[in-house]
Amino acid sequence: GSCGGGGGAPRRHDGNGELAEPLMQHAEGAVPAPAAAAALVVAPATTPYRGGSTAMTLTAVISDKLKVLSLCRNLPKLLASPGRAGPTDCLNGMRVVSMIWIILGHTMMMPAPINGYDNPEDLLARWGARGSMWFQLVIGGEIAVDSFFYLSGFLMAYLGVKDLERRGGKIPVLRMVAHRYVRITPAFAATLIFYSEIASRVGDGPFFIRFQRSIFRRCDKMWWSELLYLHNFLPFDSDKVCMGWSWYLGNDFIFFLCSPAILLLHHHCPRTMWLAMAGVAAASFVLTFWLVVHHGGGLYIFGDTYTNYSLHAYSKPYCRIPAYLVGMAFGFINERWISDETRQPKLSPTTRACYLSAAAVGLLACVFVPLSDYRDAESWPPWANGLFLTFSRPVWAASLGVITTGCTLGKLPKLNAFLASPRWIPLARLTFGAYLMHPVVIKWFAGTATASYHFSMHYVASSALFNTVCAFALAAVLWLVVERPVMNVESELTGSRRL
């Protein structure tokens, strides 16, 4: 959801502290990339190249262009904060907290198929951890993925409205899609190579062969489908995907492809847009409920019902799009209210408290309602599993939307001060890399372990902290070596500007 500002355009920041340009503004006066490349190829080394008023040789030009890889140039941009606070800066804190929560849940679950636990009864027995509140808080990190669908939809709508208005209701769809692909694919591909070709060959231990087999059986054949973002359908079984956790990217890219149509409807016929979004969400609800009930899906993560759910519904875009649509809806609403304060509703303190209380109840319900099905494993009937797995994700997104709106409109000053703190900005920039890298960290340490882990609350908490630090450290390397240089090269070729 974030991209660089175009020439002459108002400088607006997204929730990541970067200049936002979701619709790919055209930079006037930019030299077309093929022409610029041809000029560099045919020019002799002694031919002067004029940049402004300074004559430079081709060597100097190449040296200047290679600065896109400079750590001295890129590191300050990782740590930089925008000059002024933005109304949606609270999204930075939401993004980082959600990522840490996901790492917490994966820290407990991902080692199990590799080196496992030497005391599984302490986790799986009826009297074990699975029936406790703190365990539900850990496993509830699964719902945090929908926080990112919400954030992606919110930013697309919030940042896209004014860009579309400035363009006269037109969207350069091909440039928009190309920008998105170039923005995320190099880091994705670099992680895939690191995981399948390097991490899988560096290490040893009694469980390392199991770690290697888990990679080779998935990555040798279908890796290409991930780079085309088709891996939620090819292969259909997410357990056969090389980087299984990358299912989110496949969904997010499909939702991104759908967003221009929604933005155009919002610009030209907003009532039709709201009806279309409601229709798509309703169709998703019906389909998800049917898939869960028909295939015997369930939410108990250690049972066969969850395996059925994972295969047929968990990672499929037609089941996950409601959270993204909820994010877009709140993005449209917040853009309207922030850009024109006279449109903001006049709510009494009691009414505001009711909205915020409902949001808090919604968040808590999404996390802790499944506790009864964990205490009495797979005891929920099919219709109960279907209802929860269908509606919990949009309810979670809507609850985040209410809290976001309270922060952006200044109704939750203390919470907003925490979530919108500039200290979150560097970490927010690294969440994409941390998302890509943290399973590599978790799986590699499990593969190189000399013994099975001993499950306990202390183990989960301390290991999650360690994995978080490692994941964000690798994410910083990925950002400095791949992500930021790609942004710099794209900016050089298109003439767009970034922070």
Side-chain angles (χ1 to χ4, degrees):
S2 68
C3 32
R11 293 169 64 86
R12 296 180 293 103
H13 295 274
D14 67 6
N16 198 14
E18 301 214 9
L19 294 182
E21 183 194 25
L23 303 187
M24 285 304 300
Q25 300 171 13
H26 176 66
E28 297 181 3
V31 179
L40 288 177
V41 170
V42 302
T46 57
T47 301
Y49 176 89
R50 297 190 176 274
S53 61
T54 304
M56 297 184 294
T57 64
L58 180 59
T59 302
V61 173
I62 295 175
S63 176
D64 181 67
K65 298 304 180 185
L66 288 177
K67 289 180 180 178
V68 299
L69 303 174
S70 170
L71 294 179
C72 295
R73 175 182 175 180
N74 293 334
L75 183 58
K77 294 183 178 183
L78 172 61
L79 303 176
S81 298
R84 58 184 177 82
T88 61
D89 284 354
C90 62
L91 301 183
N92 289 328
M94 285 188 186
R95 187 177 301 176
V96 177
V97 171
S98 296
M99 190 68 255
I100 294 173
W101 194 10
I102 290 171
I103 295 175
L104 174 64
H106 283 167
T107 294
M108 185 189 69
M109 295 301 301
M110 283 187 167
I114 300 175
N115 67 328
Y117 296 104
D118 61 11
N119 57 333
E121 66 282 355
D122 288 343
L123 173 61
L124 299 176
R126 186 180 181 87
W127 45 263
R130 66 178 171 89
S132 64
M133 295 285 286
W134 75 264
F135 175 83
Q136 203 60 46
L137 187 63
V138 172
I139 206 69
E142 178 193 36
I143 198 81
V145 176
D146 292 276
S147 300
F148 286 95
F149 285 133
Y150 162 79
L151 291 168
S152 184
F154 183 99
L155 289 171
M156 174 55 67
Y158 181 82
L159 299 172
V161 170
K162 288 184 178 179
D163 278 1
L164 188 57
E165 291 176 352
R166 184 174 50 78
R167 291 175 176 278
K170 298 179 180 179
I171 298 178
V173 176
L174 292 180
R175 288 192 66 200
M176 179 180 173
V177 173
H179 167 82
R180 179 72 168 182
Y181 187 86
V182 170
R183 171 65 182 87
I184 63 177
T185 305
F188 185 18
T191 305
L192 190 150
I193 293 171
F194 177 75
Y195 175 61
S196 62
E197 301 298 330
I198 299 176
S200 63
R201 290 172 168 83
V202 178
D204 58 17
F207 305 104
F208 199 71
I209 186 65
R210 192 180 298 173
F211 170 62
Q212 288 180 312
R213 288 172 178 169
S214 71
I215 297 174
F216 296 152
R217 74 176 179 86
R218 296 182 175 99
C219 298
D220 285 351
K221 294 182 179 180
M222 298 296 293
W223 58 268
W224 56 269
S225 68
E226 294 183 65
L227 300 183
L228 295 177
Y229 301 99
L230 300 174
H231 51 294
N232 288 318
F233 300 102
L234 296 172
F236 186 83
D237 186 354
S238 59
D239 187 53
K240 297 179 181 179
V241 175
C242 178
M243 291 171 51
W245 61 97
S246 67
W247 67 267
Y248 166 84
L249 280 183
N251 281 355
D252 191 65
F253 197 83
I254 291 173
F255 301 159
F256 180 86
L257 294 178
C258 298
S259 60
I262 298 175
L263 289 169
L264 287 171
L265 282 175
H266 180 270
H267 181 82
H268 296 286
C269 192
R271 291 185 179 179
T272 302
M273 182 214 70
W274 289 111
L275 289 174
M277 289 177 62
V280 171
S284 175
F285 293 154
V286 172
L287 180 59
T288 303
F289 182 84
W290 180 83
L291 287 171
V292 172
V293 173
H294 179 73
H295 294 287
L299 55 86
Y300 180 68
I301 203 166
F302 303 113
D304 292 336
T305 57
Y306 189 83
T307 302
N308 297 335
Y309 169 59
S310 296
L311 176 62
H312 296 285
Y314 177 79
S315 62
K316 305 309 176 188
Y318 41 77
C319 296
R320 303 303 289 255
I321 196 170
Y324 186 89
L325 295 176
V326 170
M328 290 199 77
F330 276 95
F332 289 132
I333 292 170
N334 276 265
E335 192 281 330
R336 179 182 177 89
W337 289 351
I338 292 171
S339 61
D340 185 355
E341 294 184 1
T342 62
R343 294 175 173 176
Q344 295 181 13
K346 308 299 182 183
L347 302 179
S348 66
T350 302
T351 304
R352 287 202 303 269
C354 289
Y355 277 114
L356 295 173
S357 298
V361 170
L363 295 176
L364 293 173
C366 290
V367 176
F368 293 110
V369 163
L371 183 60
S372 63
D373 194 47
Y374 275 80
R375 286 179 172 172
D376 188 6
E378 298 184 290
S379 60
W380 281 16
W383 63 266
N385 280 301
L387 287 176
F388 184 85
L389 293 172
T390 298
F391 293 105
S392 60
R393 304 186 188 283
V395 167
W396 177 267
S399 300
L400 291 181
V402 172
I403 292 173
T404 301
T405 304
C407 290
T408 60
L409 300 185
K411 307 305 181 184
L412 294 171
K414 292 184 179 180
L415 180 60
N416 186 60
F418 171 72
L419 294 175
S421 171
R423 295 181 180 87
W424 292 115
I425 293 176
L427 293 176
R429 292 190 177 111
L430 297 177
T431 51
F432 178 54
Y435 152 73
L436 291 173
M437 284 293 186
H438 81 272
V440 181
V441 172
I442 296 170
K443 290 170 177 283
W444 187 85
F445 277 108
T448 56
T450 57
S452 297
Y453 293 148
H454 187 82
F455 178 82
S456 68
M457 183 172 65
H458 177 267
Y459 155 76
V460 173
S462 59
S463 296
L465 178 60
F466 175 79
N467 291 333
T468 299
V469 172
C470 291
F472 275 92
L474 286 175
V477 174
L478 189 67
W479 196 91
L480 293 169
V481 175
V482 180
E483 288 189 73
R484 187 66 212 194
V486 168
M487 296 182 211
N488 292 338
V489 170
E490 185 186 19
S491 297
E492 291 284 342
L493 295 178
T494 63
S496 61
R497 298 173 297 174
R498 297 189 67 85
L499 177 65

